[in-house]
Structure formats: C-alpha cells, structure tokens
Amino acid sequence: MPTELRLRRVRLELRTLFALALPMMIAQLASTAMGFVDTVMAGRVSPQDLAAVALGNSIWVPVYLLVCGITLATTPNVAQRFGAGRHGEIGPLVRQALWMGGGIGVLSASLMWNAEPVLHLLSVDQALVDPTMAYLRAVACGFPAVALYQVLRCFSDGLGHPRPSMVIGILGLLLNIPLNYVFIYGKFGVPAMGGVGCGVSTALVMLFMLVAMSLWVKR
C-alpha cells in the first residue's frame, strides 16, 4: 500500500474514532462534574455544608465510576453484534445488562446508605458525620436510576450513537444548578436543606437522565 494512501486511511480512522470518543468523554465529564457543582454551591451556605458535601463526594463519585466501569462492558458487546449483523442478539444482551445494572445500582445505594462506619474509620469529626450521611443517602436514592441509565447509554454508544449521552449529560449538569438552588436555599415552598439539598438534586438529575435516555432508546 502506498505511503500516501496509508496516511490518508489512518487520518480517516482517527477522525472517525475522535468523532465517536469526544461525545463519550464530554458525557462522562458532565456526569462527574455534578459533584464539583454540589461542592461549589454548598460552600456558599456554610463551611460545615461544604465539608459534608466534599466528603460525601469523595465516597459517591468513586462508587459511581465503579458502576460506570462495570456497565461499560455493554458497549463492546453491543458493537460486536451490531457490526456482525447479529441484531437479534442485542435485545436479550441489553435486557440482561439492565438486570445487572439494576442490581449493581441497588447494591451501590445500599453501601452508600450504610457508609457511616467508613466515616468513623477515617476519624471524621462527629459533627460532620450526620450531614455527610444525609447527603450520601440522598444521592444513594438516585443510584439505581443512574446504573440503568449507564446501561442504556452504553447500548446507544455501541450502536454508534454517542451524542445522545453527551446531550443528556450536559442537560443533567445544567439542570443540577437550579435544582441545587431550590433545595439548598428552600425556594418555591421547598424547605431549605443546605448541603443535603445538593444530594436531593443530584438524585433527581440521575432520574432525569434515565427518563431522557429511555425516551431516546424507545424512539
């Protein structure tokens, strides 16, 4: 193969790879950035709320990344069958992945709900334990939803459609900001929750992402 033709083929493959990878990277960055937004907005309430949310993030974000890593196996499995034309095998595969994702989501939520011994093991001040656990338990309520979302996201990515997850991730991040404002400061009849409100808004955003991706997959 001539060198010029080889270079042209490499550039084409790199361009295609970048077009697929960039939306995935943006979607992942938008999802993990919710913890950063929570920390910034909680810091405007009080030092205690800031510390509780930052400490909670150090627990739930790694758990979230673990869930993402496990469900990520769906993408290559779907892509392999889609590329080979074995479309009939994709549905059963994704349904099994949804069962697995739901189980992982419930297990992760249970671990976070009962994470207080970890805080004691880390010698966290007792005054921070209660607000941190309240924040973690609020976020934990959204974990079954976000685990199912990750499976559907990987399904879409495996079919060569990474942009929906990017758009939904960005919308979720943008939605997290006004929801934080409402639940932190108590607007529109909602009681002020301080840092715990960040956890409530994060759980609601996780549910929104699942609903949005479910509508896309159905379409």
Side-chain angles (χ1 to χ4, degrees):
M1 182 183 295
T3 303
E4 183 180 351
L5 182 59
R6 188 184 302 113
L7 290 175
R8 188 180 307 145
R9 182 174 179 179
V10 169
R11 285 196 296 267
L12 178 62
E13 291 178 354
L14 287 175
R15 192 179 302 118
T16 303
L17 178 63
F18 186 74
L20 289 171
L22 183 61
M24 296 181 187
M25 290 187 292
I26 293 176
Q28 192 65 31
L29 181 62
S31 297
T32 54
M34 286 193 294
F36 172 75
V37 171
D38 287 352
T39 304
V40 171
M41 296 188 72
R44 299 177 63 88
V45 181
S46 72
Q48 186 183 41
D49 286 283
L50 171 61
V53 171
L55 188 58
N57 285 338
S58 69
I59 295 176
W60 82 258
V61 171
V63 176
Y64 170 74
L65 293 177
L66 177 62
V67 171
C68 292
I70 295 173
T71 56
L72 194 61
T74 307
T75 301
N77 283 313
V78 169
Q80 181 185 32
R81 286 158 176 77
F82 183 69
R86 292 148 53 192
H87 298 172
E89 299 178 13
I90 296 177
L93 170 69
V94 174
R95 284 191 289 273
Q96 289 299 317
L98 286 170
W99 280 108
M100 180 189 70
I104 293 171
V106 171
L107 177 61
S108 300
S110 299
L111 292 174
M112 289 168 54
W113 194 275
N114 298 283
E116 187 170 341
V118 176
L119 300 179
H120 292 304
L121 186 64
L122 296 173
S123 301
V124 174
D125 191 289
Q126 187 59 41
L128 283 177
V129 171
D130 289 342
T132 301
M133 284 306 304
Y135 170 72
L136 275 176
R137 285 169 176 167
V139 175
C141 293
F143 256 70
V146 82
L148 294 174
Y149 159 76
Q150 286 297 329
V151 173
L152 295 180
R153 170 194 166 184
C154 291
F155 167 59
S156 180
D157 292 346
L159 295 180
H161 298 291
R163 289 187 180 179
S165 60
M166 179 186 70
V167 173
I168 292 171
I170 293 174
L171 289 176
L173 178 61
L174 294 177
L175 179 62
N176 192 43
I177 297 173
L179 286 178
N180 273 349
Y181 178 74
V182 169
F183 289 105
I184 290 174
Y185 299 105
K187 304 297 180 180
F188 308 109
V190 176
M193 301 181 187
V196 179
C198 295
V200 174
S201 64
T202 298
L204 289 175
V205 168
M206 290 175 174
L207 179 60
F208 159 78
M209 294 168 71
L210 171 62
V211 172
M213 184 57 77
S214 298
L215 292 175
W216 160 256
V217 169
K218 183 178 180 180
R219 173 180 172 274

